[in-house]
Amino acid sequence: MAITVEELLKRDHVMLDGGFGTELQKRGMKPGETSEMMNFVREDDVYAIHRSYIEAGADIINANTFGANRLKLAKSGHTTEESVRKALSIARRAAEGTDALVSLDIGPTGQLLEPAGTLSFEEAYDIFREIVEAGKDQADLICIETMTDLYEIKAAMLAAKECSDLPVFAFMSFEKNGRTFTGCLPSAMALTLTGLGADAVGVNCSLAPDELYDIVREITEYTDLPVIVKANAGLPDPATGAYSVPAEQYVSDCIRYTEMGVKIYGGCCGTTPEYISGLKEMLASHAPVVRGGSKKGACVCSYSRTVRINEPKIIGERINPTGKKLFKEALRNNDINYILNQALEQVAAGADILDVNVGLPEIDEKDMMVRVVKALQGITDLPLQIDSTKPEVIEAALRVYNGKAIVNSVNGENAVMERILPIVKKYGASVVGLTLDENGIPPLAEQRVAIAERIMNKAAEYGIPKEDVFIDCLTLTVSTEQKAVCETLNAVRAVKERFGMKTVLGVSNISFGLPTRELINSTFLSMALECGLDLPIINPNITAMSGAVFAYRVLAAHDENAMAFIERFGAEAAKKPTVPKAEVTLAYAIEKGLDKDAEQLTKQKLSAGADAMDIINNELIPALDRAGDDFGKNRIFLPQLILSANAAQACFGAIKEAMAGEKRISKGKIVLATVKGDIHDIGKNIVKTLLENYGYTVIDLGKDVPEQKVVDAAIEHDVKLVGLSALMTTTLGAMERTIKLLRESGHDCKVVVGGAVLTKEYADAIGADCYAKDAKDTVDFAKKILG
């Protein structure tokens, strides 16, 4: 009987296969041909590669289905179903007579998901669903790999889990800055994918083994799952094509991963069966280090920020219509930007997490919640707390949330827990447990503690650990139930001491009906913090409230040397300009990605007689520069940068409309192309968006562009700058050939190159004039060359 994935994972180490595209190239795959085409035209070569990896010691081989999605196959003449089935049949034939398992390999769509791109989460899910349904009957497991967007891999994970019963290994590709292309952290990846039910998580592609140590170490700290390392063999030499990390060095560099407790090994671009056999031999002589479990404790995250609840964290309460006339009007009028501004104010005021409640009887709460969650995660990277009593609303929000959220809430009623906890478990969220039940709120602390224990135990039945259950001992109004204050505080202390669980309180409830509410609220907050409150739900815009939390962190020795407190309240902080609550400036709207506000403000300025070029040069461009600077310093990430560009584009649209009939002056023309053989154009499209917003005319040649076509376009349009993009190591040769042809043509132009697999050293070696590590670098070089 064949071994199962579950049995395989009980071994000390598990071996995956190595590079596939680079092996196909050795066997004659031509530039412009895709790996998936080879299943039909070079079946023997595909089979031979599979067999070579099995003979080298691979326990699992990936079927040649990496790009078998409907977007990448659009011009191939083959459907997803026939491509997947064909590839799996070859892999299964190769595995016959061996113990090797066959994986359905799923790669990225090649499109950027919302909010930075145009592909919706729902469409991405449907694309992955097609792949899973086509291959689930022939595969032993699913490997989702080379993902750079946590949102996209979440869509793939949900498709895999909902449409099959197969085990799932999930990998993402990281860059030298410790994040993925879209800004995802290793910790956020580990938390989110573990919560979604992956069977193993890890890294593949982009970097060599010795460049991934810190990234892998962080992953091991945030998951108890088996961890995977499937690195590149460095980069190919421009002259010889040989990869920079030979097999012997690759294997030696992987020894450190055994010390981290990594269980699953393999190779990506440039690795060969020699690398796999070398790994197999090395692992046979290195006893596995048993990991002691993750060290994370209670955590929540967005894609780019992980919040460890190892000290009191502020949950902002302002995204809630209760008692807020303007907020209710915004919901009725579908004014999402009003809600986004509420979020941004709280971010600026020091919130760590944002509560999101859009419940209003006269609106479609589910639809509004989904739209608000999608919009919020585009303009802020704070984790969200989904606040609703309706299971369908909670599930819809968790489904589209890009990270690990909190659900607010369940209570001690069995019926409520049975409705909500399965949803919490499915999406890997944390949950707030209210200490009340069908009999209401108990008056005594011990009774509330008993309900907390009931919730903790019920959550455990669903596989939700107590570190993901946050207990709300409930704040009652002191003006009517004065003695209840001590009961609440005693309950908070007891929950912490007996169960070691995190606690949450809606602090502002304490002062209803009393004058000078802020004084009551801040005093109660300080008392609660001393009793062990971890997550106060407050209005952080009130300095007395957020300040109490910052001060407590200092006094409790959480804030070492009071650094955060000084940064927040010191003399330098007082000098920083703030945006008045009632005013959103054009620059602010652009920097924060508020496109509707930006467009409206531009129209207002034009109506008031402002000069269009003054607006562009004195407000739009400086705002984009500041957003770009924040991007370069990791203060914001790709989605926020793109939203800033989109907001600027909305401004340009208003200006263009006002200047109808007038000729717009271009700052210069630039040719952009993704090189021959590479069908990934996400990076190029981002660069195009930014360049156009800076006033340059972009001649976009698209993807998989022949070398001569780039040269012809540069000459025809007499451009002084050409930009080339490549995501795959297998297409770097085409980039080099394009640059060589440009030089040989005699056309006087500069060349800027970029892509996840490039380095400055490689760019220099192939004759490029500039290596751009990101879109902002390209803009800076364009300014230098074209002005």
Side-chain angles (χ1 to χ4, degrees):
M1 185 175 177
I3 193 171
T4 65
V5 173
E6 183 179 8
E7 292 168 336
L8 196 59
L9 290 176
K10 292 177 182 177
R11 295 180 180 176
D12 289 345
H13 300 108
V14 176
M15 187 59 58
L16 306 179
D17 58 11
F20 210 90
T22 43
E23 288 298 284
L24 282 170
Q25 280 188 324
K26 292 177 183 177
R27 287 168 166 79
M29 185 175 74
K30 300 174 183 177
E33 293 181 328
T34 66
S35 293
E36 291 70 36
M37 289 171 57
M38 300 301 100
N39 296 321
F40 297 96
V41 299
R42 290 181 175 272
E43 181 175 339
D44 290 346
D45 287 334
V46 173
Y47 172 87
I49 294 169
H50 286 319
R51 284 296 303 185
S52 67
Y53 279 122
I54 293 172
E55 289 164 4
D59 301 304
I60 297 172
I61 56 170
N62 275 336
N64 187 26
T65 54
F66 178 80
N69 67 69
R70 66 183 183 226
L71 297 182
K72 291 185 176 179
L73 293 172
K75 297 180 181 180
S76 71
H78 298 287
T79 65
T80 294
E81 182 176 1
E82 77 179 303
S83 296
V84 167
R85 290 186 179 280
K86 178 68 172 177
L88 281 166
S89 68
I90 299 171
R92 290 241 72 101
R93 183 161 59 87
E96 284 178 4
T98 75
D99 290 330
L101 301 181
V102 173
S103 167
L104 171 61
D105 190 32
I106 298 178
T109 61
Q111 299 290 316
L112 202 59
L113 267 68
E114 58 186 354
T118 58
L119 185 66
S120 73
F121 179 82
E122 292 79 8
E123 185 178 355
Y125 171 87
D126 196 56
I127 290 168
F128 295 126
R129 176 195 57 77
E130 281 186 341
I131 301 169
V132 174
E133 290 185 343
K136 63 184 180 182
D137 294 334
Q138 292 175 275
D140 298 303
L141 72 157
I142 295 171
C143 284
I144 306 169
E145 62 175 351
T146 324
M147 294 285 185
T148 60
D149 186 348
L150 186 64
Y151 212 26
E152 184 170 23
I153 198 170
K154 177 174 181 175
M157 275 291 306
L158 287 173
K161 300 297 287 187
E162 292 177 350
C163 302
S164 81
D165 296 320
L166 296 177
V168 182
F169 290 2
F171 319 62
M172 294 190 77
S173 296
F174 291 85
E175 300 184 354
K176 289 183 179 179
N177 65 0
R179 293 177 180 267
T180 69
F181 171 65
T182 60
C184 179
L185 284 169
S187 56
M189 179 209 78
L191 287 168
T192 303
L193 299 183
T194 300
L196 288 170
D199 294 274
V201 297
V203 297
N204 82 297
C205 207
S206 290
L207 300 175
D210 66 344
E211 298 171 311
L212 285 164
Y213 294 139
D214 290 341
I215 292 167
V216 172
R217 185 176 294 106
E218 185 174 327
I219 292 171
T220 65
E221 291 175 355
Y222 283 84
T223 184
D224 292 322
L225 295 177
V227 172
I228 311 160
V229 173
K230 196 177 180 188
N232 276 2
L235 289 173
D237 182 276
T240 66
Y243 276 75
S244 58
V245 181
E248 185 177 353
Q249 181 185 338
Y250 186 97
V251 171
S252 176
D253 289 343
C254 283
I255 292 174
R256 280 181 62 179
Y257 292 119
T258 66
E259 299 164 5
M260 298 181 198
V262 171
K263 179 181 283 284
I264 305 171
Y265 296 80
C268 204
C269 300
T271 61
T272 68
E274 181 187 0
Y275 289 68
I276 301 307
S277 60
L279 282 172
K280 192 85 171 179
E281 183 179 349
M282 179 272 288
L283 292 171
S285 61
H286 284 77
V289 172
V290 179
R291 287 162 53 205
S294 73
K295 305 172 185 177
K296 62 183 176 60
C299 295
V300 292
C301 69
S302 65
Y303 73 96
S304 60
R305 181 184 298 220
T306 296
V307 175
R308 293 184 71 172
I309 308 171
N310 54 359
E311 63 180 15
K313 303 292 185 182
I314 296 171
I315 300 179
E317 69 180 8
R318 297 297 295 166
I319 303 177
N320 190 318
T322 305
K324 302 183 185 76
K325 183 178 179 181
L326 290 178
F327 199 106
K328 291 177 181 178
E329 284 302 310
L331 290 175
R332 294 187 187 104
N333 297 329
N334 290 307
D335 186 358
I336 301 294
N337 270 25
Y338 176 88
I339 299 171
L340 299 185
N341 276 306
Q342 291 290 314
L344 291 169
E345 286 176 8
Q346 295 181 95
V347 172
D352 300 293
I353 299 163
L354 297 178
D355 185 81
V356 183
N357 184 317
V358 294
L360 204 62
E362 59 265 44
I363 69 167
D364 183 338
E365 183 183 351
K366 176 181 172 181
D367 176 70
M368 179 59 75
M369 179 66 87
V370 168
R371 290 195 290 130
V372 168
V373 167
K374 285 185 174 184
L376 283 171
Q377 62 192 13
I379 57 101
T380 177
D381 66 352
L382 294 194
L384 301 184
Q385 176 168 278
I386 309 303
D387 189 349
S388 178
T389 59
K390 299 177 180 178
E392 66 273 17
V393 174
I394 292 170
E395 176 153 23
L398 291 178
R399 191 171 186 84
V400 300
Y401 180 62
N402 192 10
K404 177 182 178 181
I406 305 172
V407 171
N408 187 11
S409 56
V410 298
N411 59 46
E413 291 186 55
N414 274 323
V416 172
M417 290 190 284
E418 288 169 1
R419 287 196 301 269
I420 303 297
L421 290 179
I423 299 171
V424 172
K425 174 59 179 175
K426 176 179 178 179
Y427 294 98
S430 296
V431 63
V432 173
L434 307 180
T435 53
L436 60 83
D437 58 18
E438 57 271 17
N439 298 314
I441 302 174
L444 301 178
E446 281 301 319
Q447 295 168 317
R448 298 187 205 178
V449 173
I451 295 176
E453 186 174 18
R454 189 192 313 163
I455 294 170
M456 177 184 71
N457 292 336
K458 190 71 172 179
E461 291 178 16
Y462 286 97
I464 302 169
K466 70 176 183 179
E467 66 191 35
D468 282 331
V469 182
F470 310 150
I471 296 298
D472 188 339
C473 294
L474 299 171
T475 305
L476 301 181
T477 304
V478 69
S479 61
T480 59
E481 301 193 55
Q482 202 163 2
K483 293 182 179 179
V485 175
C486 287
E487 296 298 332
T488 295
L489 296 177
N490 289 337
V492 169
R493 183 182 287 109
V495 166
K496 292 284 291 186
E497 291 176 352
R498 294 185 201 176
F499 309 132
M501 300 172 77
K502 301 301 179 182
T503 56
V504 57
L505 281 176
V507 175
S508 302
N509 297 340
I510 195 74
S511 62
F512 283 134
L514 291 175
T516 321
R517 292 186 60 191
E518 184 180 309
L519 185 58
I520 295 288
N521 290 345
S522 60
T523 303
F524 175 67
L525 173 57
S526 296
M527 295 170 68
L529 290 169
E530 180 58 23
C531 290
L533 175 62
D534 300 288
L535 294 166
I537 303 176
I538 62 174
N539 180 358
N541 300 329
I542 299 173
T543 303
M545 298 300 288
S546 56
V549 177
F550 276 85
Y552 178 83
R553 291 172 184 165
V554 174
L555 298 173
H558 295 302
D559 181 5
E560 189 173 351
N561 298 319
M563 296 299 292
F565 185 86
I566 292 168
E567 182 181 359
R568 184 82 197 158
F569 299 106
E572 288 302 312
K575 297 177 185 177
K576 293 180 181 178
T578 59
V579 178
K581 192 171 182 180
E583 180 186 4
V584 176
T585 67
L586 178 56
Y588 180 84
I590 293 170
E591 289 176 56
K592 301 302 181 184
L594 303 174
D595 55 348
K596 291 181 180 178
D597 284 348
E599 180 181 16
Q600 186 61 34
L601 288 165
T602 302
K603 289 179 177 179
Q604 290 174 7
K605 285 177 177 290
L606 292 168
S607 297
D611 180 74
M613 292 310 297
D614 283 345
I615 295 174
I616 292 171
N617 293 325
N618 299 329
E619 297 193 64
L620 301 195
I621 298 302
L624 278 174
D625 282 340
R626 286 190 292 274
D629 184 59
D630 285 345
F631 175 74
K633 295 177 179 177
N634 282 342
R635 292 173 184 154
I636 65 171
F637 301 98
L638 185 62
Q640 287 84 39
L641 182 66
I642 295 300
L643 287 177
S644 291
N646 290 344
Q649 191 67 48
C651 299
F652 279 116
I655 290 170
K656 184 178 179 180
E657 183 181 321
M659 297 175 66
E662 297 183 32
K663 186 176 180 180
R664 182 179 169 187
I665 300 173
S666 170
K667 292 184 176 180
K669 294 181 289 186
I670 302 169
V671 165
L672 291 184
T674 300
V675 299
K676 180 66 178 174
D678 203 317
I679 58 173
H680 303 88
D681 61 355
I682 291 175
K684 173 187 64 65
N685 292 342
I686 292 167
V687 170
K688 176 185 176 182
T689 299
L690 277 186
L691 286 170
E692 288 178 338
N693 280 320
Y694 273 89
Y696 300 102
T697 299
V698 175
I699 297 134
D700 183 4
L701 302 182
K703 55 191 176 184
D704 190 19
V705 182
E707 296 88 341
Q708 190 61 47
K709 185 175 180 180
V710 176
V711 176
D712 293 344
I715 295 171
E716 177 187 350
H717 296 282
D718 192 25
V719 301
K720 298 302 179 186
L721 182 59
V722 171
L724 301 176
S725 172
L727 184 68
M728 303 161 61
T729 56
T730 54
T731 60
L732 291 178
M735 181 176 281
E736 182 184 9
R737 290 192 297 274
T738 303
I739 295 173
K740 183 179 179 182
L741 279 177
L742 274 168
R743 303 305 187 213
E744 290 174 351
S745 74
H747 181 68
D748 183 19
C749 70
K750 302 293 184 182
V751 180
V752 55
V753 297
V757 295
L758 265 73
T759 63
K760 184 180 185 308
E761 293 73 23
Y762 191 87
D764 291 342
I766 63 176
D769 297 289
C770 174
Y771 161 67
K773 70 178 185 300
D774 53 44
K776 183 60 170 58
D777 273 4
T778 307
V779 171
D780 291 341
F781 189 65
K783 288 180 182 178
K784 180 179 177 182
I785 301 302
L786 303 175

